[in-house]
């Protein structure tokens, strides 16, 4: 086990950083989109639930960004003054919602949460101890997210209108969901050094099996082609993004730039080991 | 129970769903609680864009949680109002969507940027806290019960609002100038938060008599003024020339010239006819219309076709 960056070679440091950035950026950006549903959900209860989930994801982003701070960065480097082309989230999480397209929100949540569940399972055995230590807390909350999205999918699928909406969302989102499993330049080192013992290709195969089975049970078709045929032009993990990303980035950095700050106000102490033990 | 008995018995948390309340009481209580619930929803509505615009992760989390709390308060309050048997939650939400639901004056105005956020999160929430604290002694028990939870959470919101205010107030000269401009724009609206002066208040007297309200608009406004003028000064904010606020040194007491406030604008706002408020209502109406299909789908799935599971049965 490795307890911190100082015990890593340069190659290993780059690998841990790459893994953490994809984890943190995914959580941060997916939450950013979820918050759009606050006060705009189909019911007050749905509003409150999606707000909970968004805050959980922001909390997880904070945990992963905090581990990146051990590598000498601060929040300003990692988010507020980072070049938008340096973000490594999957394109799935940055896509905008059409007005009222709650099916997109729950399908996206389902595809994302199922991926996260598998990825976290693999990271429970990470040789980089600070990652393995934090997985427990994140995984516990993700279980509730998956229940929430599955529950919604089942309810919507009971009507033809709902099922058609789900189908359209799956058709549109599935290729982008595949980018969750795209490799960074450091994938080989990540796997070889057990930062994440399971390769992305294996995780993707498991994910496709789970997702296809569940959605088929709802009467929804899932693409069967090879990932190479389905993947969108922008892959996220390599720094290429859809055009939605730049405007989202401009919006969430707007106040930061307007205030002309060089530090992000902090309200809470940095998460300590004690906070994340479960 | 007749209305005289209600007035005689009126006291803190005196009446609940088990009491046979006269229609006049139930209507007055519904009007008041529905207004409060609508205000929570519309307040959340204008704050929501600042989840995205928050300049740090912690602020983003706090603003998201705050918007969520307010929707939760709306949920609690609609429930407390429903128990009066006049309107269902759906009816109240439909009224809000259609522009017939009334809500606080301050939430009819747009929040333009981060500098304006503490005007709501510190001053308006502070004003709301003052009023709500007096409602812990309202005569409708389910309302008082909802208020207990609301006040508890609102305390955190105000602390966060004050922290945002402090950060801007200790920022650059340009930050402080923008903050002052935001304050001048919002201060008169904030003073109107407590509603018209008592002599112009249509429902105030009855609500006091039956114990729904425990403090008049004028008393609440004065209490707020005296608590918040010093707070504004503490953060370097200067009161605008109008409305005139006079300081009585002997009693250490501030008094506002209420005739300096624009009551015509206030009553236009109160009727849901002020342009920016109409804009907020219409935007929300569109957002709600866009998710109508979800409610239809889950309420009457059979009309949209049978589920695959049901087809297998």
């Amino acid at each position: 086990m490795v307890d911190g960056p100082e015990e890593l070679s340069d190659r290993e440091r780059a690998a841990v950083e790459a893994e953490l950035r994809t984890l943190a950026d995914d959580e941060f950006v997916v939450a950013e989109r979820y918050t759009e549903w606050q006060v705009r959900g189909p019911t007050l209860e749905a509003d409150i639930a999606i707000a909970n989930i968004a805050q959980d994801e922001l909390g997880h982003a904070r945990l992963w960004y905090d581990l990146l701070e051990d590598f000498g960065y601060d929040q300003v480097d990692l988010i507020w003054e980072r070049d938008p082309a340096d973000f490594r989230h999957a394109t799935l999480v940055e896509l905008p919602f059409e007005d009222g397209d709650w099916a997109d929100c729950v399908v996206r949540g389902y595809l994302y949460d199922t991926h996260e569940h598998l990825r976290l399972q693999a990271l429970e055995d990470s040789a980089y101890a600070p990652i393995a230590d934090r997985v427990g807390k994140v995984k516990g909350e993700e279980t509730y997210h998956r229940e929430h999205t599955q529950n919604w999918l089942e309810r919507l699928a009971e009507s033809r209108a709902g099922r058609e909406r789900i189908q359209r969302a799956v058709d549109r989102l599935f290729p982008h969901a595949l980018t969750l499993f795209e490799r960074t330049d450091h994938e080989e080192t990540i796997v070889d050094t057990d930062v994440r013992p399971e390769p992305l290709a294996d995780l993707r195969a498991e994910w496709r099996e789970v997702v296809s089975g569940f959605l088929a049970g709802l009467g929804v078709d899932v693409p069967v082609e090879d990932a190479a045929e389905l993947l969108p032009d922008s892959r996220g993990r390599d720094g290429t993004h859809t055009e939605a990303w730049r405007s989202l980035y401009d919006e969430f950095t707007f106040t930061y730039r307007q205030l002309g700050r060089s530090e992000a106000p902090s309200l809470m102490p940095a998460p300590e080991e004690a906070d994340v033990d479960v | 129970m007749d209305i005289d008995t209600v007035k005689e018995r009126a006291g803190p948390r005196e009446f609940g769903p088990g009491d046979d309340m006269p229609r006049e009481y139930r209507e007055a209580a519904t009007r008041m609680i529905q207004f409060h619930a609508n205000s929570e929803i519309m307040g959340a509505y204008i704050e929501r864009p600042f989840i995205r615009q928050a300049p740090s992760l912690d602020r983003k989390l706090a603003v998201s949680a705050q918007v969520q709390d307010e929707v939760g308060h709306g949920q609690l309050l609609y429930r407390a109002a429903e128990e009066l048997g006049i309107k269902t939650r759906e009816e109240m939400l439909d009224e809000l969507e259609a522009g017939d639901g009334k809500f606080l004056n301050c939430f009819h105005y747009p929040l333009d940027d981060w500098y304006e956020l503490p005007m709501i999160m510190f001053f308006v929430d502070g004003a709301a806290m003052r009023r709500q604290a007096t409602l812990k002694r309202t005569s409708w028990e389910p309302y008082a019960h909802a208020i207990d939870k609301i006040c508890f959470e609102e305390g955190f919101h105000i602390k966060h609002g004050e922290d945002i205010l402090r950060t801007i107030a200790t920022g650059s000269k340009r930050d402080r100038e923008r903050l002052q401009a935001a304050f001048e724009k919002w201060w008169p609206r904030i003073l109107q938060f407590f509603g018209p002066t008592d002599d112009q208040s249509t429902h105030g007297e009855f609500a006091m008599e039956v114990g729904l309200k425990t403090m008049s608009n004028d008393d609440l406004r004065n209490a707020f003024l005296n608590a918040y003028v010093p707070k504004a000064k503490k953060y370097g904010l200067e009161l605008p020339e109008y409305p005139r606020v006079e300081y009585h040194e002997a009693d250490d007491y501030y008094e506002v010239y209420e005739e300096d406030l624009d009551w015509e604008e206030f009553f236009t706002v109160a009727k849901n006819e002020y342009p920016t408020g109409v804009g907020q209502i219409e935007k929300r109406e569109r957002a709600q219309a866009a998710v109508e299909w979800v409610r239809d789908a889950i309420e009457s799935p059979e009309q949209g076709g049978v589920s695959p599971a049901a087809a297998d049965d």
Side-chain angles (χ1 to χ4, degrees), chain A residues 28 32-33 35-42 44-45 47-48 51-52 55 58 62 65 75 79-80 99-100 102-103 152 155-163 165 217-219 248 251-252 254-256 258-259 261 264-268, chain B residues 41 44-45 48 51-62 64-65 67-68 71-72 74-75 78-79 89 93 113-115 160 163 167-168 171 174-175 178 284 287-288 290-291 293-295 297-298 301-302 304-308:
Chain A
F28 178 72
E32 198 58 65
R33 284 298 182 199
T35 64
E36 291 176 15
W37 286 100
Q38 291 193 240
V39 212
R40 295 205 290 194
L44 298 182
E45 289 69 24
D47 256 333
I48 291 169
N52 254 327
Q55 287 155 41
L58 284 172
R62 200 166 162 274
Y65 283 129
Q75 200 184 105
I79 304 176
W80 309 102
D99 269 354
W102 183 245
W152 263 107
R155 285 169 83 187
L156 290 179
E158 282 174 23
S159 72
R160 181 174 300 139
R163 209 157 53 244
R165 291 269 194 164
L218 301 178
L248 181 63
E251 286 174 25
F252 76 70
F254 177 81
T255 302
Y256 179 84
Q258 188 184 34
L259 290 169
R261 297 236 177 279
S266 179
L267 301 175
M268 294 178 268
Chain B
I41 302 295
Y45 194 79
R48 183 191 57 83
I51 305 170
R52 169 141 313 157
Q53 289 187 29
S56 79
L57 264 181
D58 287 356
R59 290 254 191 267
K60 196 179 286 289
L61 266 163
S64 172
V67 168
Q68 179 190 20
V71 174
Q75 190 188 29
Y78 285 125
R79 196 175 303 146
R89 182 175 100 167
L93 284 167
D113 60 25
W114 189 257
Y115 297 96
H160 183 231
D163 195 61
T167 308
I168 303 173
R174 190 170 131 270
D175 283 344
R178 289 195 174 188
R284 185 167 181 284
Q288 287 299 299
V291 288
W293 72 269
V294 183
R295 291 191 286 265
I298 59 180
E302 67 283 358
V306 284
S307 71

Side-chain angles (χ1 to χ4, degrees), chain A residues 196-263:
Chain A
R196 172 177 25 79
E198 216 178 327
L200 286 167
D202 293 0
L203 291 174
R204 185 178 65 203
E206 282 178 65
W207 175 84
R208 287 191 78 156
E209 201 180 314
V210 173
V211 164
S212 302
F214 177 74
L215 291 173
L218 301 178
V220 174
D221 297 327
V222 182
V224 291
E225 295 89 335
D226 282 349
E229 287 176 53
L230 293 166
L231 277 162
D233 293 339
S234 308
R235 304 283 166 91
R237 301 294 193 224
D238 60 0
T240 60
H241 290 281
T242 67
E243 59 186 23
W245 169 237
R246 186 59 210 225
S247 50
L248 181 63
Y249 174 89
D250 286 345
E251 286 174 25
F252 76 70
T253 55
F254 177 81
T255 302
Y256 179 84
R257 283 177 285 116
Q258 188 184 34
L259 290 169
R261 297 236 177 279
S262 54
E263 61 181 43

Side-chain angles (χ1 to χ4, degrees), chain B residues 122-123 130 162 165 227-237:
Chain B
F122 181 62
F123 289 104
R130 294 248 140 200
E162 185 164 14
L165 178 65
Y228 276 75
V229 167
K231 289 182 200 280
K233 291 189 170 176
K234 179 181 161 194
Y235 292 107
L237 293 167

Side-chain angles (χ1 to χ4, degrees), chain B residues 138-203:
Chain B
T138 182
S139 59
W140 183 243
E141 197 281 334
Y143 191 21
H145 187 74
I147 291 288
D148 288 337
K149 182 170 195 287
I150 293 171
C151 283
F152 178 74
E153 293 182 347
E154 208 61 56
F156 292 100
H157 299 181
I158 296 168
K159 273 176 92 172
H160 183 231
E162 185 164 14
D163 195 61
I164 293 175
L165 178 65
R166 184 185 303 114
T167 308
I168 303 173
T170 54
S172 65
K173 183 162 177 284
R174 190 170 131 270
D175 283 344
R176 293 196 303 274
E177 284 167 2
R178 289 195 174 188
L179 187 68
Q180 175 66 29
F183 181 67
E184 288 179 21
K185 180 160 137 192
W186 278 87
W187 177 243
R189 303 166 182 172
I190 292 163
L191 290 176
Q192 288 179 314
F193 169 97
F194 295 100
T197 49
D198 292 342
D199 54 341
Q200 291 185 74
S201 169
T202 15
H203 305 295

Side-chain angles (χ1 to χ4, degrees), chain A:
Chain A
M1 288 293 261
V2 173
D3 292 320
E6 60 286 345
E7 298 173 32
L8 299 171
S9 69
D10 286 353
R11 192 173 70 101
E12 290 165 341
R13 282 176 70 111
V16 172
E17 269 192 44
E19 185 69 2
L20 283 170
R21 280 184 191 266
T22 59
L23 283 166
D25 292 350
D26 276 351
E27 296 280 48
F28 178 72
V29 179
V30 82
E32 198 58 65
R33 284 298 182 199
Y34 284 153
T35 64
E36 291 176 15
W37 286 100
Q38 291 193 240
V39 212
R40 295 205 290 194
T43 62
L44 298 182
E45 289 69 24
D47 256 333
I48 291 169
I50 198 73
N52 254 327
I53 293 174
Q55 287 155 41
D56 285 347
E57 305 296 26
L58 284 172
H60 303 164
R62 200 166 162 274
L63 290 175
W64 302 131
Y65 283 129
D66 181 64
L67 288 189
L68 278 163
E69 292 189 12
D70 296 345
F71 291 80
Y73 306 101
D74 60 21
Q75 200 184 105
V76 165
D77 304 323
L78 294 166
I79 304 176
W80 309 102
E81 292 184 10
R82 186 154 152 215
D83 188 318
D86 290 340
F87 280 77
R88 288 292 183 267
H89 56 274
T91 56
L92 174 74
V93 296
E94 75 195 21
L95 298 175
F97 295 111
E98 293 291 324
D99 269 354
D101 197 354
W102 183 245
D104 181 317
C105 183
V106 292
V107 168
R108 183 182 306 202
Y110 172 71
L111 298 176
Y112 178 76
D113 294 338
T114 305
H115 137 271
E116 197 182 3
H117 174 73
L118 295 168
R119 190 160 170 207
L120 291 173
Q121 266 184 342
L123 289 170
E124 268 180 333
D125 301 320
S126 176
Y128 189 69
I131 291 182
D133 289 345
R134 289 180 181 209
V135 166
K137 176 185 165 60
V138 177
K139 234 178 108 187
E141 293 177 348
E142 291 301 338
T143 302
Y144 158 72
H145 301 178
R146 278 194 306 145
E147 281 167 10
H148 172 82
T149 50
Q150 289 185 11
N151 193 350
W152 263 107
L153 286 170
E154 284 163 359
R155 285 169 83 187
L156 290 179
E158 282 174 23
S159 72
R160 181 174 300 139
R163 209 157 53 244
E164 284 169 5
R165 291 269 194 164
I166 295 172
Q167 184 68 61
R168 285 206 292 277
V170 169
D171 294 345
R172 188 174 58 250
L173 296 174
F174 195 85
H176 291 282
L178 289 170
T179 71
L180 289 162
F181 304 96
E182 282 299 279
R183 300 152 56 103
T184 63
D185 295 340
H186 305 276
E187 176 69 5
E188 274 169 36
T189 317
I190 289 170
V191 177
D192 290 349
T193 57
D194 283 340
V195 172
R196 172 177 25 79
E198 216 178 327
L200 286 167
D202 293 0
L203 291 174
R204 185 178 65 203
E206 282 178 65
W207 175 84
R208 287 191 78 156
E209 201 180 314
V210 173
V211 164
S212 302
F214 177 74
L215 291 173
L218 301 178
V220 174
D221 297 327
V222 182
V224 291
E225 295 89 335
D226 282 349
E229 287 176 53
L230 293 166
L231 277 162
D233 293 339
S234 308
R235 304 283 166 91
R237 301 294 193 224
D238 60 0
T240 60
H241 290 281
T242 67
E243 59 186 23
W245 169 237
R246 186 59 210 225
S247 50
L248 181 63
Y249 174 89
D250 286 345
E251 286 174 25
F252 76 70
T253 55
F254 177 81
T255 302
Y256 179 84
R257 283 177 285 116
Q258 188 184 34
L259 290 169
R261 297 236 177 279
S262 54
E263 61 181 43
S266 179
L267 301 175
M268 294 178 268
E272 298 300 330
E273 293 300 316
D275 294 335
V276 295
D277 283 347
V278 278

Side-chain angles (χ1 to χ4, degrees), chain B residues 1 3 8 26 33 48 106 108 112 116 121 157 159 176 198 212 236 260 268 309:
Chain B
M1 202 181 306
I3 210 75
E8 210 173 286
R26 291 186 292 124
I33 304 169
R48 183 191 57 83
C106 289
H108 288 254
D112 285 336
E116 294 193 15
M121 284 197 178
H157 299 181
K159 273 176 92 172
R176 293 196 303 274
D198 292 342
L212 284 167
D260 285 357
T268 310

